[in-house]
């Protein structure tokens, strides 16, 4: 009797598939929705790739504006960045995230370090959050001595940012390192969470009212949860629900200021708002919430050249400028 061939059990935007026999098929190409053309000239930014974790073959893409500022020897703030993709797909090398980081490096301006991390289902949570910590340790130990960065990066003005899954990693970096956890030479000035990935056992209104044509649907979020959570964990697992009932309190952690960006038509909108409320009212953190009207999840990655993306770049730039020298 012939054996039934394996079939697809879970499909993440065609980029990774879990098969019925437990094998995983991962495409070498980006998900089609994230493919786009990058303008010629790279926006006055040079970039190169490095391996920051040889053990797991994890790479970072480093961005540096050609002209550092009014003075040729002026150093720029550093923005460590983590891409989105539901913890299952994505890379800083994908065109959408590359375009976004080019814009940030050019328009803030800043030295941008775009870090990859291990992906599920091959590596379930908290692997991604652990890699976020490794990336920050690499920044501390390597960036100051790297000849390509040493004369450009001001490590006393470091910001951490990310979108979706990367926004979640940013939270965990903030919770782990606070303001001074990277030592006296690296100062973490603030954090930018763009529609950070969060889940929970109790449905929110945004999840219940999700439209079937949404960029991120409730069904897709549930699929990601099945692929990323460790055995026995629920959607209240603290790695994915950092403001949920099982999450540890953060009262004692001295964090820098935080900017959280939500989108009106994103299923994560209510969770992002609850996160901000708990961070401010229960844990006493300095957090600003900005919601973009009439936008979907990760709108800036889908179209890095839209008017709302222009507005988002200005918002991030203002946050960085306002907090570069705060104590």
């Amino acid at each position: 009797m012939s054996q039934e061939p394996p079939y697809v059990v879970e499909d993440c935007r065609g980029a990774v598939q879990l098969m019925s026999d437990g094998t995983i098929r991962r495409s070498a190409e980006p998900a089609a929705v994230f493919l786009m053309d990058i303008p010629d000239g790279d926006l006055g930014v040079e970039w190169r790739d490095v391996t920051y974790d040889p053990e797991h073959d994890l790479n970072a893409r480093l961005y540096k504006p050609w002209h550092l500022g009014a003075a040729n020897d002026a150093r720029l703030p550093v923005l460590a960045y983590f891409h989105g993709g539901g913890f299952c797909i994505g890379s800083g090398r994908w065109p959408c995230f590359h375009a976004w980081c080019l814009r940030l490096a050019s328009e803030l301006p800043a030295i941008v370090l775009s870090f990859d991390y291990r992906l599920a289902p091959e590596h379930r949570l908290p692997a991604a959050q652990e890699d976020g910590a490794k990336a920050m340790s690499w920044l501390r130990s390597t960036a100051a001595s790297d000849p390509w960065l040493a004369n450009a990066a001001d490590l006393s003005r470091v910001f951490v940012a990310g979108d979706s899954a990367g926004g979640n990693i940013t939270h965990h970096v903030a919770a782990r390192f606070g303001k001074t956890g990277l030592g006296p030479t690296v100062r973490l000035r603030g954090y930018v969470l763009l529609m950070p990935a969060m889940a929970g056992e109790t449905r929110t209104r945004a999840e219940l009212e999700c439209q079937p044509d949404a960029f991120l649907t409730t069904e897709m979020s549930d699929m990601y949860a099945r692929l990323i959570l460790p055995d026995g964990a629920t959607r209240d697992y603290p790695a994915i629900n950092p403001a949920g009932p099982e999450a540890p309190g953060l009262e004692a952690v001295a964090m820098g200021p935080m900017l959280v960006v939500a989108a009106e038509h994103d299923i994560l909108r209510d969770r992002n708002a609850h996160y901000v409320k708990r961070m401010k009212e229960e844990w006493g953190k300095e957090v600003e919430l900005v919601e973009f009207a009439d936008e979907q999840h990760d709108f800036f990655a889908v179209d890095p050249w839209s008017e709302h993306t222009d507005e988002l770049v200005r918002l991030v730039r203002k946050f960085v400028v306002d907090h570069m020298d705060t104590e």
Side-chain angles (χ1 to χ4, degrees):
M1 178 180 293
S2 62
Q3 188 176 10
E4 181 182 5
Y7 56 89
V8 177
V9 177
E10 309 278 17
D11 187 318
C12 296
R13 301 191 186 276
V16 63
Q17 296 174 327
L18 177 64
M19 309 304 293
S20 58
D21 62 357
T23 59
I24 297 164
R25 296 178 180 175
R26 185 172 291 277
S27 173
E29 299 298 320
V33 69
F34 293 118
L35 289 172
M36 61 195 63
D37 295 327
I38 307 297
D40 294 336
D42 286 340
L43 306 181
V45 175
E46 56 182 316
W47 53 271
R48 68 185 183 99
D49 294 329
V50 301
T51 299
Y52 78 90
D53 182 358
E55 178 184 357
H56 298 113
D57 192 28
L58 294 176
N59 300 307
R61 180 160 286 186
L62 317 181
Y63 299 83
K64 181 172 66 174
W66 293 341
H67 303 290
L68 297 182
N72 289 334
D73 60 349
R75 295 189 181 189
L76 294 176
V78 175
L79 183 73
Y81 195 84
F82 299 97
H83 66 78
F87 297 102
C88 292
I89 61 175
S91 167
R93 300 178 182 184
W94 280 20
C96 57
F97 302 120
H98 178 61
W100 174 239
C101 287
L102 282 172
R103 289 204 64 177
L104 292 175
S106 175
E107 298 177 45
L108 293 185
I111 304 299
V112 177
L113 314 178
S114 176
F115 293 100
D116 283 354
Y117 47 89
R118 285 173 291 171
L119 300 174
E122 298 96 324
H123 306 281
R124 292 175 179 260
L125 301 184
Q129 288 87 359
E130 292 170 352
D131 292 340
K134 288 181 183 178
M136 302 310 294
S137 296
W138 178 91
L139 186 157
R140 174 180 56 197
S141 63
T142 306
S145 59
D146 184 299
W148 198 77
L149 293 173
N151 295 325
D154 183 350
L155 296 181
S156 72
R157 296 172 172 177
V158 176
F159 293 81
V160 185
D163 66 279
S164 195
N168 175 289
I169 293 172
T170 300
H171 162 83
H172 288 283
V173 167
R176 178 163 182 164
F177 294 105
K179 285 184 177 181
T180 60
L182 288 174
T185 60
V186 179
R187 182 66 184 272
L188 297 174
R189 297 285 180 172
Y191 304 90
V192 179
L193 285 65
L194 305 176
M195 290 144 276
M198 298 173 180
E201 284 297 292
T202 302
R203 293 293 192 202
T204 65
R205 179 177 177 180
E207 291 168 345
L208 292 171
E209 297 179 353
C210 174
Q211 297 300 306
D213 61 347
F215 180 74
L216 176 66
T217 65
T218 303
E219 290 73 20
M220 292 170 65
S221 178
D222 288 348
M223 175 194 65
Y224 285 128
R226 292 191 295 271
L227 293 173
I228 68 177
L229 290 174
D231 291 341
T234 71
R235 291 194 301 270
D236 282 333
Y237 183 56
I240 194 63
N241 192 0
E246 300 177 15
L250 297 175
E251 300 91 338
V253 180
M255 292 183 182
M258 185 175 288
L259 170 66
V260 178
V261 175
E264 180 183 8
H265 300 307
D266 184 3
I267 63 164
L268 300 178
R269 179 197 66 213
D270 295 342
R271 295 200 181 280
N272 294 166
H274 170 71
Y275 169 81
V276 170
K277 180 179 176 66
R278 192 166 191 200
M279 288 284 283
K280 292 175 66 174
E281 297 182 4
E282 294 188 38
W283 295 333
K285 307 309 177 192
E286 181 184 346
V287 187
E288 177 186 4
L289 174 65
V290 176
E291 181 178 305
F292 276 71
D294 199 32
E295 278 294 0
Q296 298 267 1
H297 181 73
D298 254 18
F299 63 87
F300 63 93
V302 177
D303 186 358
W305 318 109
S306 71
E307 291 185 6
H308 273 173
T309 302
D310 294 344
E311 184 180 348
L312 180 58
V313 172
R314 291 191 293 270
L315 179 67
V316 174
R317 184 181 189 280
K318 183 179 186 303
F319 178 82
V320 169
V321 170
D322 287 349
H323 296 288
M324 277 197 299
D325 298 307
T326 56
E327 293 300 326

